[in-house]
Amino acid sequence: MIERFYLKEYLSFKEVELDLKSGLVVFTGPSGSGKSILMSSILSSFGSAASDASLCESTVSWDLDADEHGIENDDVYIFKHIKKEKSRYFINNQSLPKKAMSSLSSNYLRHLSLRDFSDFENENLLLILDSRIKKQNHNMDALKNEYKEAFLEHKRVKKELLVIEDEQKRVTELKEFAAFEIKKIESVNPKISEDEELLEIKKELSKKEKALEAIAKANAIFEHEHGVFSALDVLNIENSFFNDAMNELRAVMESAEERFNALDEVDIEEVLNRIEELSDLKRRYGGIKEAIEYKEQKIQELQKYENIEITKGDLAAREAALEAKVKDLANKITALRLDELKFFRDDLNSYLKELYLRDAQVEIRDAEYGVFGKDEILLKLNATDLQKISTGEFNRLRLAVLALKSEFMNKNGGVLMLDEIDANLSGEESMSVAKVLKELSSHFQIFVISHQPQLTSMGDQHFLVHKKGDESHVRELDFDERVDEIARIISGESVTQEAKKFAKELLSLQK
């Protein structure tokens, strides 16, 4: 529930702080006092409406699943909309985008002032019907879960089968392509790092002639080696250092000469052609390693294409078995729903009668298979499509559906916000709406703006929105103040004793 709301600097409001209770919370006041502005401000604190208020802040006790937004779990959450140069939204001082804030709060807060058809969507109506069935048949959930698993598995297998059938149509072409790619790579038969080795050979060949010529000139040093030894002896200097250096130099020169002479057997044309072949593979596949991996992939694909008939047969058998299972389970679910439909329709019409509406027609027809089965619930009011009924009828029908849904709710359903739902209704109609809202308030915290005494008298909490000069104020009313306000609603600004008496009677009935 929303436990507290705070508003600062918005149009005619300077500052408002409300401590809120559970149940039915009613806002009344003269036209133009700011009731709709106040309601809009509450919605704004959750990112569900636009507002230029400096601050809209709501404290809630909801079991939020806010981990994905980096918000730690807590017993109380503070939703906040701050407007300075631009709007910013927070939950417990954690900044969030407006869309994320609105999406998160929409699981707990609903504004019923517009023609919102979500309550009449097939999924919602089926859930209400199934909740009723579950009360009598505890296997309903297990049956639905088994159906859902079979449906999703059938959908997956059918998709896989379609892919294979599509591949089968192109299998000859695919096999030829795979074989061509394999042959192309195998004809080159590349080895890892072979291209690097060949490039090194090419580099050696390019400098062979100059290198051998340079080695030949350098070998002349060894002709003077004996003279150096003699000079060292005359100078009485140890010659081991020179001997080691000359031996090391001789080894280097001989090794280099052997390496370059060995290239005599290398065919430069073959090397260049091989480098070109490997370069083609690298350009086509991105590298030697990638070409080898691609070849292995194509070998596996070729084996798959060879076995496609066996795989297709196995999948087709699996798909057929799952399809039969899905149809069987869906038929069982439909049978249970058809058995319950009469009681569902009767109870809905009982609420509609209480709300002074004509009977609704409810039927189930076959639709495409989905995760909830193959059933579609069609709902009309006195044989009229919902899109064509009046706004007043639409809102009261929606209340009846909510009332039907609340009968099987195990926990609080969140917050409902209604803006003048009893507008333009007769006294009897207004009282019927008030009674249904009172029943719903045991499952929802309901905020409602009302101009009718019947609904106002049903409130568990009553706030008066009024103006002093150009400034709007909000205050909670005690019993005597409620009598005066309801009397004003009944008789206008000139409150009569008869209106006060009737107001007191209405309030006394709620005790």
Side-chain angles (χ1 to χ4, degrees), residues 63-90:
D63 186 17
L64 287 181
D65 182 15
D67 290 343
E68 62 179 294
H69 299 291
I71 299 169
E72 295 183 3
N73 291 327
D74 207 337
D75 294 332
V76 172
Y77 296 90
I78 299 175
F79 285 69
K80 190 183 299 182
H81 172 209
I82 297 175
K83 181 72 178 286
K84 291 183 180 178
E85 293 181 359
K86 62 179 182 178
S87 290
R88 298 187 67 193
Y89 297 87
F90 301 85

Side-chain angles (χ1 to χ4, degrees), residues 222-234 242:
F222 299 115
E223 297 175 5
H224 303 286
E225 184 177 1
H226 179 72
V228 175
F229 278 116
S230 297
L232 290 173
D233 286 340
V234 171
F242 179 69

Side-chain angles (χ1 to χ4, degrees), residues 453-465:
Q454 293 83 359
L455 178 52
T456 303
S457 67
M458 291 280 192
D460 297 297
Q461 194 173 21
H462 184 174
F463 289 96
L464 173 66
V465 184

Side-chain angles (χ1 to χ4, degrees), residues 16-272:
V16 173
E17 184 170 6
L18 306 178
D19 291 316
L20 300 160
K21 299 176 182 177
S22 61
L24 184 59
V25 182
V26 180
F27 295 87
T28 66
S31 297
S33 58
K35 299 183 295 300
S36 295
I37 294 172
L38 183 64
M39 191 78 80
S40 175
S41 300
I42 296 173
L43 290 168
S44 176
S45 66
F46 298 100
S48 299
S51 171
D52 290 325
S54 295
L55 174 62
C56 302
E57 181 179 286
S58 292
T59 302
V60 304
S61 55
W62 292 339
D63 186 17
L64 287 181
D65 182 15
D67 290 343
E68 62 179 294
H69 299 291
I71 299 169
E72 295 183 3
N73 291 327
D74 207 337
D75 294 332
V76 172
Y77 296 90
I78 299 175
F79 285 69
K80 190 183 299 182
H81 172 209
I82 297 175
K83 181 72 178 286
K84 291 183 180 178
E85 293 181 359
K86 62 179 182 178
S87 290
R88 298 187 67 193
Y89 297 87
F90 301 85
I91 298 180
N92 288 0
N93 296 320
Q94 171 71 48
S95 178
L96 268 80
K98 179 181 179 181
K99 186 175 182 181
M101 174 90 93
S102 178
S103 175
L104 193 58
S105 63
S106 66
N107 296 318
Y108 308 88
L109 173 71
R110 298 184 61 200
H111 184 208
L112 303 185
S113 67
L114 303 174
R115 271 185 171 257
D116 177 4
F117 283 84
S118 58
D119 289 307
F120 303 109
E121 289 177 355
N122 192 53
E123 178 181 336
N124 184 62
L125 295 175
L126 286 177
L127 286 174
I128 297 173
L129 185 61
D130 292 348
S131 296
R132 298 170 62 91
I133 297 170
K134 189 170 67 173
K135 189 175 181 180
Q136 307 297 328
N137 187 334
H138 300 299
N139 295 323
M140 184 62 176
D141 278 347
L143 180 61
K144 287 173 64 179
N145 288 334
E146 185 181 3
Y147 166 82
K148 183 178 179 179
E149 289 177 7
F151 171 78
L152 293 175
E153 178 65 7
H154 175 256
K155 186 177 180 180
R156 184 192 67 76
V157 170
K158 188 173 183 179
K159 182 178 180 180
E160 192 174 341
L161 182 60
L162 289 172
V163 170
I164 284 186
E165 288 175 345
D166 183 57
E167 285 182 348
Q168 190 179 29
K169 294 175 184 176
R170 300 181 292 118
V171 71
T172 302
E173 179 184 341
L174 291 169
K175 285 171 66 176
E176 288 177 355
F177 177 74
F180 172 80
E181 292 288 280
I182 293 167
K183 184 177 180 181
K184 181 177 179 65
I185 297 171
E186 285 184 340
S187 66
V188 178
N189 193 24
K191 304 293 188 298
I192 299 295
S193 301
E194 180 186 1
D195 56 333
E196 297 173 3
E197 295 171 4
L198 288 171
L199 288 171
E200 185 62 31
I201 291 173
K202 179 184 176 184
K203 182 179 178 182
E204 294 281 277
L205 284 169
S206 67
K207 65 180 181 179
K208 174 185 175 183
E209 187 176 341
K210 286 184 178 180
L212 288 174
E213 184 180 337
I215 290 170
K217 289 180 180 179
N219 282 337
I221 192 175
F222 299 115
E223 297 175 5
H224 303 286
E225 184 177 1
H226 179 72
V228 175
F229 278 116
S230 297
L232 290 173
D233 286 340
V234 171
L235 295 171
N236 203 23
I237 296 174
E238 172 63 39
N239 62 18
S240 60
F241 75 93
F242 179 69
N243 186 50
D244 290 342
M246 293 303 290
N247 287 336
E248 185 176 350
L249 180 60
R250 186 177 288 106
V252 169
M253 293 300 180
E254 289 175 355
S255 174
E257 193 171 10
E258 287 176 5
R259 189 172 78 249
F260 283 108
N261 286 333
L263 294 175
D264 290 342
E265 300 178 5
V266 174
D267 187 332
I268 183 62
E269 291 298 325
E270 287 184 3
V271 171
L272 294 175

Side-chain angles (χ1 to χ4, degrees), residues 415-431:
V415 179
L416 298 178
M417 301 188 73
L418 303 97
D419 192 351
E420 301 186 37
I421 194 169
D422 57 353
N424 303 316
L425 298 182
S426 68
E428 288 182 334
E429 290 171 337
S430 180
M431 180 58 80

